[in-house]
C-alpha cells in the first residue's frame, strides 16, 4: 500500500506571517488526517513559522530546494541539516522552475552561473545523495516540455532525467523517494494533463523503476502528478491507480481549494 501524498508547493509566495496563518487554518481543517499524508512546502524563510503552526498535527513540512553540502562557503544556499533542524521531512528537487525557466536555461546566464544555479541531472544527483543520509525525503520532479511531447519524446526525456538524477544509487537507498510527474506545459497554465494520460506516464515511471532497480521498489515508490491540479480535477486524477498523490502549486495557496483537493485523495 502506498499512502497518498498531497504536497502544496507555495513557490515564492507568502511571508512568514502569512504562511503561518495559512498553515494554521489548514491545520484546523485537515491537520489530523492520518489516512493520507499532507505536506506544506513554503519558501525557506517561512519554514519556522509554518513548522510552529503545524506542531502537534499530522501535517508535514517540506522545502522547495536544498544545496548538497552540509555547510561551507556557499552564499545564499541552505543545507540538508538546516532543513532538518527546522523540521522538514521532505524536499522538492528538480522542479522545472529550478531546472531553468520552463525547462530551458535562460540564454543570458553565463556558464559560471549555470554551473551552480541551472539545475541539471548532475546537480540533482548530488542533492539526492546529500539529503538521503539526513532522512530527508526527496520529491523529485520530472516531466517534458510541450515541444518534447509533440515530438513524441516524453518517455525519452523522463528516462534521461531519472537516469541522471538516480545514477549510482541503489534500490535500498530509494524506498523513501517520491517522484512527481510534472509535465512542464501543465504547470501554472490551467492546462491539466488528462487523467488517463497522467496515469499512463506515472505507470511508465513505475515500470522504469522496477526494471532499472527492482520490482519491489516500483511497487513501493509514490508517484505524484503535478500541473494545474485543482479541486475540480483532483478527483479524477487521484482515483487513477498509478497516481499516488499530487504536487499542487497555485491551488495550495487557497485553504478551501487545498482542503477540497485533500478530500479527493485516497490511499489505494
Ligand atoms: P501549479 O504548479 O499547480 O500551479 O500548476 C504545480 C507545481 O509547479 O508544482
Amino acid at each position: 500500500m502506498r499512502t497518498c501524498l498531497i504536497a502544496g508547493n507555495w513557490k515564492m509566495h507568502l511571508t512568514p506571517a502569512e504562511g503561518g496563518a495559512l498553515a494554521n487554518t489548514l491545520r484546523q481543517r485537515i491537520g489530523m488526517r492520518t489516512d493520507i499524508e499532507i505536506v506544506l512546502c513554503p519558501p525557506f524563510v517561512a519554514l519556522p513559522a509554518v513548522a510552529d503552526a503545524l506542531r502537534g498535527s499530522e501535517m508535514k513540512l517540506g522545502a522547495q530546494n536544498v544545496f548538497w553540502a552540509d555547510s561551507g562557503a556557499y552564499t545564499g544556499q541552505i543545507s540538508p541539516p538546516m532543513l532538518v533542524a527546522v523540521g522538514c521531512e521532505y524536499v522538492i528537487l528538480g522542479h522545472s522552475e529550478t531546472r531553468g525557466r520552463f525547462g530551458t536555461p535562460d540564454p543570458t546566464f553565463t556558464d559560471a552561473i549555470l554551473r551552480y544555479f541551472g539545475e541539471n541531472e548532475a546537480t540533482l544527483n548530488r542533492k539526492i545523495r546529500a539529503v538521503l543520509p539526513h532522512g530527508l525525503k526527496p520529491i523529485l520532479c520530472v516531466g517534458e516540455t510541450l515541444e518534447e511531447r509533440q515530438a513524441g519524446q516524453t518517455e525519452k526525456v523522463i528516462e534521461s532525467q531519472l537516469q541522471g538524477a538516480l545514477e549510482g544509487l541503489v534500490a535500498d537507498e530509494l524506498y523513501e523517494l517520491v517522484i512527481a510527474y510534472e509535465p512542464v506545459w501543465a504547470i501554472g497554465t490551467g492546462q491539466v494533463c488528462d487523467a488517463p494520460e497522467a496515469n499512463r506516464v506515472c505507470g511508465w515511471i513505475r515500470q522504469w523503476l522496477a526494471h532499472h532497480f527492482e520490482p519491489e521498489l516500483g511497487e513501493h515508490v509514490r508517484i505524484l502528478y503535478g500541473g494545474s491540479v485543482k479541486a475540480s480535477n483532483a478527483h479524477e486524477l487521484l482515483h487513477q491507480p498509478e497516481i499516488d498523490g499530487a504536487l499542487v502549486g497555485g491551488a495550495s495557496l487557497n485553504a478551501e481549494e487545498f482542503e477540497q483537493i485533500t478530500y479527493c485523495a485516497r490511499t489505494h
Side-chain angles (χ1 to χ4, degrees):
M1 195 180 69
R2 301 183 293 266
T3 305
C4 183
L5 191 159
I6 305 294
N9 174 11
W10 291 0
K11 308 194 180 185
M12 199 174 71
H13 294 286
L14 307 184
T15 62
E18 292 164 344
L22 176 57
N24 203 32
T25 303
L26 289 170
R27 173 221 165 95
Q28 286 165 25
R29 296 183 181 196
I30 51 175
M32 298 318 283
R33 275 190 78 168
T34 53
D35 58 322
I36 61 168
E37 253 187 309
I38 303 171
V39 182
L40 301 183
C41 304
F44 289 130
V45 293
L47 285 168
V50 173
D52 281 350
L54 297 184
R55 196 153 294 125
S57 80
E58 298 290 338
M59 294 170 73
K60 313 269 172 65
L61 190 65
Q64 298 174 17
N65 203 352
V66 72
F67 194 67
W68 55 77
D70 279 359
S71 63
Y74 302 105
T75 301
Q77 301 301 306
I78 301 288
S79 75
M82 290 172 184
L83 295 185
V84 171
V86 292
C88 286
E89 201 171 303
Y90 287 89
V91 57
I92 296 171
L93 292 176
H95 192 281
S96 63
E97 288 154 14
T98 67
R99 284 177 189 262
R101 188 80 186 150
F102 301 127
T104 322
D106 184 328
T108 63
F109 283 5
T110 64
D111 281 356
I113 293 176
L114 267 179
R115 186 141 26 97
Y116 291 107
F117 299 109
E119 193 86 88
N120 59 35
E121 268 52 82
T123 57
L124 282 171
N125 184 255
R126 281 178 177 239
K127 290 180 179 187
I128 293 173
R129 287 164 183 270
V131 301
L132 291 172
H134 291 280
L136 275 169
K137 301 170 186 167
I139 302 177
L140 172 65
C141 301
V142 297
E144 80 289 358
T145 62
L146 187 58
E147 296 70 40
E148 289 161 347
R149 171 163 282 266
Q150 285 166 344
Q153 293 180 332
T154 299
E155 290 82 356
K156 190 168 152 251
V157 168
I158 295 174
E159 178 163 40
S160 82
Q161 291 172 336
L162 290 171
Q163 222 149 20
L166 303 180
E167 166 127 32
L169 289 153
V170 297
D172 278 357
E173 297 172 284
L174 297 176
Y175 274 77
E176 298 297 346
L177 173 72
V178 176
I179 293 178
Y181 169 51
E182 295 216 310
V184 179
W185 47 271
I187 296 175
T189 58
Q191 206 192 325
V192 68
C193 182
D194 282 348
E197 173 60 8
N199 185 62
R200 186 189 71 77
V201 179
C202 290
W204 185 90
I205 294 170
R206 194 177 304 292
Q207 289 298 316
W208 187 88
L209 288 172
H211 181 75
H212 205 78
F213 291 96
E214 58 190 29
E216 295 75 18
L217 186 74
E219 276 309 305
H220 188 92
V221 164
R222 288 175 294 179
I223 303 176
L224 318 182
Y225 167 78
S228 297
V229 176
K230 298 192 216 44
S232 58
N233 57 31
H235 182 90
E236 199 189 355
L237 286 161
L238 293 171
H239 281 67
Q240 301 292 323
E242 299 290 355
I243 299 180
D244 303 317
L247 183 54
V248 185
S252 70
L253 296 168
N254 179 305
E256 211 127 294
E257 187 82 12
F258 192 64
E259 180 184 359
Q260 293 297 323
I261 291 169
T262 64
Y263 291 153
C264 300
R266 56 151 205 189
T267 289
H268 50 240

